[in-house]
Amino acid sequence: MSLEEFLEEWNSDSPYVEVKTSGSTGEPKRMLVEKQRMRASARITCDFLGLKAGDTALLCMSLDYIAGKMMVVRAIERNLRLIVVEPSGHPLAEQICREWDLRSFRPLLASPNIGEELAAMVPMQVYNSLQVPEERERLKQIKHLIIGGGAIDEAMAEELKAFPNQVWSTYGMTETLSHIALRRLSGPDASEWYTPFPSVSVSLNEEGCLVIDAPEVCRERLVTNDIAELATNNHSFRILGRRDNVICSGGIKIQAEEVERMLKAHLRVPYLISKRPDKKFGEVVVLLTEGDVEEAKTVCEAVLPKYQRPKAYVHVDNIPLTETKKPARRQAEELATTDFTD
């Protein structure tokens, strides 16, 4: 979707905007969301970050998804200067930037790369920017950098901790109209715990999944598939993994994301933890790798406790990913069971 198309949809008589989910746990789904709730979400974020009229915001994400749409809505709601670049893996590279007049639907004169007050990126864009000295310096000039749409690994978090600007990891989803909680990645306040916005409350259900009450942006209480832990204040939380990614093997519950984190420092090629059915254990851990299977097995035997070690290793040409570069877990399960008979 182009910016012109979204602005036309936003300024139409319909009280709704159509969005689609990321598809990380299946096929992307289309849904209608209320414009008034998108405005409320925009106000909450702008208020929390202290953004004011005239501040600049960088749009470098696809408008096919809620994250990109909400950057535009924040600019409209708070009268920010919206600087637009073509979505790419290197949004801070030297390229044509245009400031948009959000009322006339027209781009203004080309703008140079400047230090924006607000930018939202996915981890892949941040990772790429960190590898290029000029882009890395521009990254530091963004007053508020919010990162969402995927997991931030420990190496990136450690690198961003020394940044002088305010870098945030976001927690949210399409149903919550972007994020409802942030955790600081830079400076002395860096933390692995997400703090919900003041209008949001969280709890856990019987399965340990996060439950979100965010009446300003979501009409109903939202029960997520994210296994979480609440802080002692019962307000902040951290994510342990998704319920969908729990592997029940021989009566032991294994969180796929936890195993992936343990292997992160030891496997240098793309990999993913998945599962397949098993007569004896119910389910067993399977590791998909783009690298050498025997090398992966050696690493797992050295790093992982016995109950978490994969029972099978599968070489794949490419780890399956969604359009937004998240692991495509269901496709991974299909690859894990290819040519396999229980």
Side-chain angles (χ1 to χ4, degrees):
M1 169 178 279
S2 68
L3 181 54
E4 296 100 317
E5 291 171 330
F6 176 67
L7 289 174
E8 288 179 5
E9 183 179 17
W10 181 259
N11 287 285
S12 71
D13 293 334
S14 172
Y16 300 99
V17 166
E18 184 180 272
V19 299
K20 65 178 180 179
T21 61
S22 64
S24 56
T25 58
E27 290 296 320
K29 298 178 181 178
R30 296 188 179 275
M31 55 187 291
L32 293 176
V33 298
E34 298 171 82
K35 292 176 182 176
Q36 65 173 1
R37 294 186 184 275
M38 294 177 75
R39 286 185 178 277
S41 173
R43 287 194 297 271
I44 291 169
T45 295
C46 289
D47 288 346
F48 180 86
L49 298 178
L51 297 170
K52 60 185 184 302
D55 285 347
T56 51
L58 177 67
L59 174 62
C60 60
M61 304 178 75
S62 171
L63 284 165
D64 290 333
Y65 298 96
I66 190 65
K69 295 181 194 297
M70 284 306 305
M71 281 298 294
V72 180
V73 178
R74 292 176 196 123
I76 294 172
E77 186 65 21
R78 193 49 55 99
N79 196 22
L80 306 175
R81 294 173 55 202
L82 186 67
I83 309 299
V84 182
V85 299
E86 192 71 24
S88 73
H90 286 270
L92 300 180
E94 289 289 354
Q95 59 178 302
I96 296 176
C97 306
R98 293 192 178 276
E99 181 176 351
W100 269 74
D101 185 327
L102 297 176
R103 291 174 175 78
S104 66
F105 301 2
R106 292 186 299 105
L108 303 176
L109 296 176
S111 302
N113 286 108
I114 56 177
E116 285 81 14
E117 275 78 24
L118 175 66
M121 298 183 189
V122 297
M124 180 266 292
Q125 291 175 314
V126 176
Y127 176 84
N128 289 344
S129 298
L130 288 171
Q131 310 312 306
V132 183
E134 295 82 5
E135 296 175 29
R136 181 188 178 92
E137 288 305 308
R138 292 192 185 109
L139 206 62
K140 292 180 179 180
Q141 295 171 18
I142 299 169
K143 184 175 181 181
H144 295 285
L145 173 63
I146 57 178
I147 308 172
I152 298 172
D153 66 32
E154 293 180 8
M156 182 185 293
E158 187 64 29
E159 193 166 1
L160 293 172
K161 190 174 182 179
F163 268 44
N165 52 340
Q166 297 186 36
V167 185
W168 307 87
S169 171
T170 68
Y171 177 83
M173 56 210 70
T174 305
E175 292 83 354
T176 59
L177 308 182
S178 188
H179 49 264
I180 50 86
L182 299 175
R183 68 181 178 96
R184 186 72 176 266
L185 294 175
S186 62
D189 295 328
S191 172
E192 62 180 347
W193 296 87
Y194 287 96
T195 300
F197 292 133
S199 59
V200 176
S201 61
V202 294
S203 58
L204 300 179
N205 67 5
E206 293 180 354
E207 296 177 296
C209 291
L210 191 72
V211 180
I212 300 170
D213 283 292
E216 293 190 46
V217 298
C218 190
R219 186 184 298 275
E220 299 177 351
R221 172 180 291 184
L222 182 64
V223 179
T224 74
N225 282 322
D226 291 321
I227 303 294
E229 177 184 355
L230 294 184
T232 53
N233 60 13
N234 284 331
H235 185 57
S236 301
F237 64 92
R238 62 178 177 178
I239 300 298
L240 305 179
R242 289 185 64 84
R243 184 182 64 176
D244 319 64
N245 303 333
V246 172
I247 303 168
C248 297
S249 185
I252 298 174
K253 293 185 177 180
I254 302 168
Q255 192 71 50
E257 294 92 338
E258 180 184 354
V259 179
E260 290 167 354
R261 283 193 290 269
M262 294 175 70
L263 294 173
K264 185 68 177 179
H266 306 278
L267 288 178
R268 301 301 181 184
V269 295
Y271 66 93
L272 193 67
I273 292 296
S274 189
K275 63 184 178 181
R276 67 168 53 158
D278 183 84
K279 285 182 178 179
K280 180 178 180 179
F281 296 101
E283 295 176 331
V284 293
V285 177
V286 178
L287 184 140
L288 306 181
T289 177
E290 293 181 12
D292 182 74
V293 166
E294 289 303 318
E295 180 181 347
K297 184 177 181 180
T298 299
V299 169
C300 290
E301 289 179 348
V303 172
L304 299 176
K306 188 174 181 179
Y307 75 95
Q308 288 184 331
R309 293 175 192 166
K311 299 292 186 186
Y313 298 81
V314 178
H315 173 80
V316 295
D317 292 332
N318 300 103
I319 295 297
L321 301 174
T322 68
E323 290 181 16
T324 54
K325 307 304 179 185
K326 295 179 181 180
R329 297 285 181 179
R330 290 188 181 178
Q331 189 178 346
E333 285 185 34
E334 292 175 4
L335 291 172
T337 56
T338 299
D339 300 325
F340 168 75
T341 302
D342 188 12

